[in-house]
Amino acid sequence: MAAEKVLSGARVVLPTGTVDGGRVIVDGTRIAGAAPEGAETIDLTGHWIVPGFVDMHVHGGGGASFTSGTPEDVLKGVQTHREHGTTTIVASTVTGEMDFLAARAGLLSEIVEQGDLAGIHFEGPFISPCRKGAHSEALLRDPDPADVRKLMDAARGTAKMFTLATEMRGGLDSVRMLAENGVIAAIGHTDATYEQTVEAIDAGATVATHLFNAMPPLGHREPGPIAALLEDERVTIELINDGTHLHPASLELAYRTAGSSRVAFITDAMDAAGFGDGIYHLGPLEVEVKDGVARLVEGGSIAGSTLTLDTAFKRAVTVDKLPVEDVVRSISANPARLLGVDDKVGSLEPGKDADLVVLDAEFNLVGVMRKGEWVIDPK
């Protein structure tokens, strides 16, 4: 059982702002409003305490794949990301045969039900062959609502998000069906026009899957999906802040346009995250990771990332010069709200799970707590 603890002396980032010399009180698995008698006091002066990170788009880590691994592999990937501060994880799949994806949904749903995952994100097969990225073109298909429903049902209530090329046949009907069932419809791997994207947002799409990547570029006569997604306050923008997927100016454009309340930092990480260079597989496709950058062996397309959210956090503050409070919103509060779990995670408030990250003065990760237990002890 988790013990009572008082984490004192740190700069604590709360929804209302940063408190210097603040305290976070942990009573069992939850954050408490008052310290129980006899609680252990841990001095974290000189450090930051921020909410545990929430990654709504991640394919694996630690050498293990959420798409094809065993349950033990999935848990290995989960643990790898926990050790980098991500205490809430949605497992993302990649394009595959429908029956295979349905079977994966069944396996992953069991891990959701046991509390180690927060849900499933289906990225593919309902995406455009024109913007397929690291997905097998032979296995792509139109987003027919019946097929989307098949995977949603196979997930047994644990499906959180589908990435769709909404301009394809059945796309708008699938968006409406997902919205009616409380599942996020995300626009991504799309060749849609500006007008088609506006139509999809009006139909209920609320997320831009890794904005800029796998979609037409922003044009002055054909603004495409990027302009439509950035301008609409109903849409949350996924950004991969690894220095590879986005030029810093592109990230700044998106962040300043959408604002901190509409950005969700994600990793889009594959097996190599937290593991190292080498040859991997993303679905049926072979990937080479060299110097931390993942690319398809055939064709050279970027194939996800090797990013972890502690690195994304540090980069956002030290390279992109974003305020810490804004980064916390984008890496914890916003994805928690989108996933419908903000009553439990995403901010440091009494009654919520004791999920938190301890950073040193240079924003290096030194401690991780999940549900009141240290994953990495800062002492």
Side-chain angles (χ1 to χ4, degrees), residues 166-167 187 190-194 196-197 216 224-225:
T166 54
E167 75 278 9
I187 300 172
T190 176
D191 205 40
T193 64
Y194 173 89
Q196 289 171 326
T197 306

Side-chain angles (χ1 to χ4, degrees), residues 12-18 51 325 328-329 333 346-350 352:
V12 181
V13 181
L14 302 174
T16 53
T18 298
E325 295 83 0
V328 166
R329 288 188 200 98
S347 60
L348 300 176
E349 297 177 87
K352 292 192 176 184

Side-chain angles (χ1 to χ4, degrees), residues 13 18 48 50 313 317 322-329 359 363:
V13 181
T18 298
W48 293 81
V50 300
F313 192 108
V317 175
L322 297 174
V324 174
E325 295 83 0
D326 286 356
V327 177
V328 166
R329 288 188 200 98
L359 306 168
F363 299 100

Side-chain angles (χ1 to χ4, degrees), residues 240-326:
I240 307 171
N241 193 17
D242 62 352
T244 297
H245 280 77
L246 297 174
H247 188 283
S250 297
L251 183 134
E252 182 178 11
L253 171 67
Y255 206 93
R256 299 301 181 189
T257 303
S260 63
S261 64
R262 288 182 49 217
V263 169
F265 283 128
I266 61 162
T267 61
D268 194 19
M270 45 85 72
D271 314 16
F275 200 68
D277 290 356
I279 299 295
Y280 298 84
H281 285 85
L282 194 58
L285 303 179
E286 193 172 50
V287 176
E288 181 180 15
V289 177
K290 185 176 182 181
D291 298 327
V293 178
R295 294 187 179 275
L296 291 181
V297 170
E298 184 176 342
S301 292
I302 293 177
S305 84
T306 61
L307 184 65
T308 53
L309 281 181
D310 58 330
T311 299
F313 192 108
K314 181 175 180 178
R315 181 180 177 86
V317 175
T318 62
V319 176
D320 303 309
K321 306 300 183 182
L322 297 174
V324 174
E325 295 83 0
D326 286 356

Side-chain angles (χ1 to χ4, degrees), residues 183-258:
V183 179
I184 298 166
I187 300 172
H189 289 275
T190 176
D191 205 40
T193 64
Y194 173 89
E195 291 77 13
Q196 289 171 326
T197 306
V198 169
E199 193 175 9
I201 296 168
D202 287 340
T206 56
V207 167
T209 295
H210 45 53
L211 189 76
F212 295 108
N213 297 111
M215 60 182 62
L218 185 66
H220 63 296
R221 291 193 182 94
E222 296 182 2
I226 293 171
L229 293 163
L230 279 176
E231 73 183 8
D232 198 305
E233 294 185 355
R234 294 171 291 180
V235 178
T236 296
I237 307 300
E238 288 186 350
L239 295 176
I240 307 171
N241 193 17
D242 62 352
T244 297
H245 280 77
L246 297 174
H247 188 283
S250 297
L251 183 134
E252 182 178 11
L253 171 67
Y255 206 93
R256 299 301 181 189
T257 303

Side-chain angles (χ1 to χ4, degrees), residues 41-255:
T41 298
I42 301 169
D43 184 7
L44 293 175
T45 301
H47 293 74
W48 293 81
I49 300 177
V50 300
F53 307 145
V54 180
D55 196 346
M56 56 189 280
H57 186 160
V58 53
H59 298 275
S65 170
F66 297 156
T67 296
S68 58
T70 65
E72 291 73 24
D73 291 332
V74 173
L75 293 175
K76 180 181 179 183
V78 167
Q79 182 64 19
T80 295
H81 285 282
R82 281 183 187 165
E83 291 170 358
H84 290 274
T86 303
T87 51
T88 301
I89 297 171
V90 171
S92 298
T93 64
V94 297
T95 294
E97 295 281 1
M98 285 293 294
D99 288 344
F100 174 79
L101 290 174
R104 289 305 297 176
L107 181 150
L108 292 170
S109 68
E110 294 181 2
I111 300 174
V112 176
E113 289 161 1
Q114 73 187 32
D116 289 299
L117 289 171
I120 304 170
H121 163 218
F122 293 95
E123 188 182 19
F126 311 115
I127 60 176
S128 172
C130 302
R131 304 287 174 177
K132 63 183 183 297
H135 292 256
S136 173
E137 184 170 351
L139 298 175
L140 301 181
R141 58 175 60 213
D142 289 328
D144 182 275
D147 288 338
V148 175
R149 167 73 74 170
K150 176 179 178 178
L151 296 185
M152 188 176 72
D153 290 345
R156 302 200 306 265
T158 67
K160 288 292 186 179
M161 183 164 69
F162 281 77
T163 290
L164 309 172
T166 54
E167 75 278 9
M168 296 173 69
R169 185 174 57 194
L172 293 179
D173 287 338
S174 289
V175 168
R176 295 185 187 102
M177 185 268 291
L178 290 169
E180 289 169 0
N181 285 274
V183 179
I184 298 166
I187 300 172
H189 289 275
T190 176
D191 205 40
T193 64
Y194 173 89
E195 291 77 13
Q196 289 171 326
T197 306
V198 169
E199 193 175 9
I201 296 168
D202 287 340
T206 56
V207 167
T209 295
H210 45 53
L211 189 76
F212 295 108
N213 297 111
M215 60 182 62
L218 185 66
H220 63 296
R221 291 193 182 94
E222 296 182 2
I226 293 171
L229 293 163
L230 279 176
E231 73 183 8
D232 198 305
E233 294 185 355
R234 294 171 291 180
V235 178
T236 296
I237 307 300
E238 288 186 350
L239 295 176
I240 307 171
N241 193 17
D242 62 352
T244 297
H245 280 77
L246 297 174
H247 188 283
S250 297
L251 183 134
E252 182 178 11
L253 171 67
Y255 206 93

